[in-house]
Amino acid sequence: MNYAQWLEFAKERLVQNQSLDPFLNPKSDSLLLLEFVTKRNRASILAFSDDRLTEFELTQLTELLEKRCQQQPMAYILGEKSFWTLNLKVSPCTLIPRADTEILVEQALKIIKERLKYPQNLVQQEFAILDLGTGTGAIALSLASELEDIAEQHKFNLRIVGVDFLLEAVELARSNAIRHNLNKVEFIQSDWFNEINDHYDMIVANPPYIDENDEHLTQGDVQFEPKTALVSAEEGYSDLKHIIKIAPQYLKPQGVLLLEHGWQQANKVRSFFTKNQWQHVMTIKDYSGNDRVTIGQKNEK
């Protein structure tokens, strides 16, 4: 069987399952699987579509295609997912990094670069970031990838700490740091702030914020992801409220908190910030125009 024939076969199989899972993309998924197994890029596959698959490649493709027909996420099947400018290893112990979260990275970088215009605001020439519930390390590593050179250029010490309560996630994040040769990031096991004994200029987090009764938990990739990273008590607000309440204790003067949340949760999240005396509270929309990240600055009074 050649590349073109397998692509047609795989597309037909996935089309048959599309009614069960509307998130399936038969053409794109087929190509991704073929790229992964043959180690050839899309342009090469399409240009040499008459090339024949080996028996070993066919066996691999059959196994992977069956997993996708069972609606398993492509990221878990391939073991990796692109986020920001990085290709990250993923596993079923963590959330799959999503493009919506990139707006949090973008806003964090915007705030940091604004601070660097006034270096006197850097306490002891350091900028320290805490990433809560780091998972694959996506947020922490994306920030490190952008800031390591800037820190060297501006001669300040960059310190990034990512925490997760799961040791498996911590080890995965560490392996992603090694994969991308990012040296300014440390990952430790901690249930939110429990093992934190320092102060930071910025805290970022994409905590669980889905109600346990939300129907979306049984749809698409989400049904395969760990519920501990998705679901929070009090209709999805428990972890958000906890972080908003406790974070000021771990922030330096003028420290900021950036929280990702559900697109319908912005009003309540802002009210939690206000009740806890945060300043300059605002919500940022994601790339689809939905409320996604709320930011607050520590109240110094």
Side-chain angles (χ1 to χ4, degrees):
M1 183 179 286
N2 64 29
Y3 292 174
Q5 290 169 330
W6 188 85
L7 283 172
E8 189 60 32
F9 164 76
K11 189 171 71 172
E12 288 298 317
R13 282 291 315 279
L14 291 170
V15 166
Q16 293 168 13
N17 287 271
Q18 204 169 19
S19 60
L20 299 175
D21 182 3
F23 296 94
L24 288 174
N25 187 327
K27 183 177 180 179
S28 176
D29 291 354
S30 301
L31 274 166
L32 282 170
L33 293 175
L34 194 55
E35 286 179 79
F36 181 73
V37 168
T38 63
K39 311 302 181 190
R40 298 175 74 166
N41 62 37
R42 189 164 303 196
S44 176
I45 287 171
L46 296 177
F48 300 95
S49 60
D50 290 333
D51 285 5
R52 299 191 67 80
L53 292 158
T54 66
E55 287 299 319
F56 180 68
E57 288 172 336
L58 273 172
T59 300
Q60 281 187 295
L61 285 167
T62 298
E63 292 175 359
L64 298 181
L65 180 61
E66 184 58 31
K67 289 181 179 180
R68 190 57 180 144
C69 286
Q70 293 170 3
Q71 303 172 47
Q72 292 187 35
M74 285 295 295
Y76 291 159
I77 293 170
L78 303 181
E80 57 188 33
K81 175 72 174 178
S82 293
F83 179 86
W84 199 250
T85 61
L86 306 176
N87 195 25
L88 301 172
K89 291 193 287 185
V90 301
S91 86
C93 77
T94 66
L95 286 183
I96 299 167
R98 288 174 169 80
D100 286 344
T101 304
E102 292 185 356
I103 195 67
L104 190 155
V105 174
E106 182 181 289
Q107 290 300 312
L109 289 170
K110 183 178 178 181
I111 291 168
I112 294 166
K113 289 174 181 178
E114 187 64 29
R115 289 277 178 95
L116 293 177
K117 292 179 181 179
Y118 309 96
Q120 65 271 21
N121 290 336
L122 296 181
V123 178
Q124 297 179 336
Q125 288 301 109
E126 175 188 77
F127 199 93
I129 303 169
L130 176 63
D131 176 24
L132 296 170
T134 196
T136 60
I139 296 171
L141 294 172
S142 296
L143 291 172
S145 71
E146 298 287 344
L147 294 172
E148 285 192 356
D149 288 345
I150 293 174
E152 186 173 338
Q153 177 187 348
H154 288 267
K155 295 182 173 55
F156 69 91
N157 179 46
L158 174 67
R159 185 165 59 90
I160 303 176
V161 176
V163 305
D164 203 288
F165 82 99
L166 273 181
L167 181 58
E168 290 174 275
V170 171
E171 291 173 344
L172 179 65
R174 287 172 179 165
S175 71
N176 277 321
I178 294 169
R179 185 182 209 186
H180 292 284
N181 195 30
L182 294 168
N183 304 311
K184 300 294 185 181
V185 191
E186 175 188 6
F187 293 104
I188 62 174
Q189 188 175 13
S190 178
D191 187 359
W192 296 136
F193 298 98
N194 286 4
E195 302 300 321
I196 301 301
N197 300 298
D198 209 346
H199 291 83
Y200 296 84
D201 298 275
M202 175 180 285
I203 297 175
V204 295
N206 176 19
Y209 54 73
I210 300 177
D211 179 10
E212 63 181 352
N213 297 313
D214 193 308
E215 62 182 12
H216 295 96
L217 291 170
T218 62
Q219 300 174 6
D221 291 353
V222 174
Q223 63 187 307
F224 292 90
E225 293 178 284
K227 296 298 180 283
T228 53
L230 292 164
V231 173
S232 186
E234 299 180 43
E235 299 181 326
Y237 290 102
S238 178
D239 291 299
L240 289 162
K241 289 169 70 175
H242 176 72
I243 293 170
I244 291 167
K245 181 179 179 180
I246 304 299
Q249 301 173 33
Y250 297 90
L251 282 171
K252 297 178 187 178
Q254 300 184 51
V256 291
L257 170 64
L258 293 87
L259 274 182
E260 179 173 335
H261 50 72
W263 67 280
Q264 294 178 309
Q265 294 178 318
N267 287 338
K268 279 194 176 182
V269 170
R270 284 196 299 272
S271 74
F272 299 149
F273 271 90
T274 302
K275 288 175 184 176
N276 284 276
Q277 309 302 312
W278 290 83
Q279 297 178 324
H280 310 302
V281 177
M282 63 178 177
T283 297
I284 305 297
K285 296 183 183 298
D286 62 24
Y287 304 122
S288 299
N290 297 314
D291 289 337
R292 185 62 58 188
V293 173
T294 295
I295 303 169
Q297 183 174 325
K298 178 180 177 179
N299 189 337
E300 301 305 326
K301 293 180 181 180

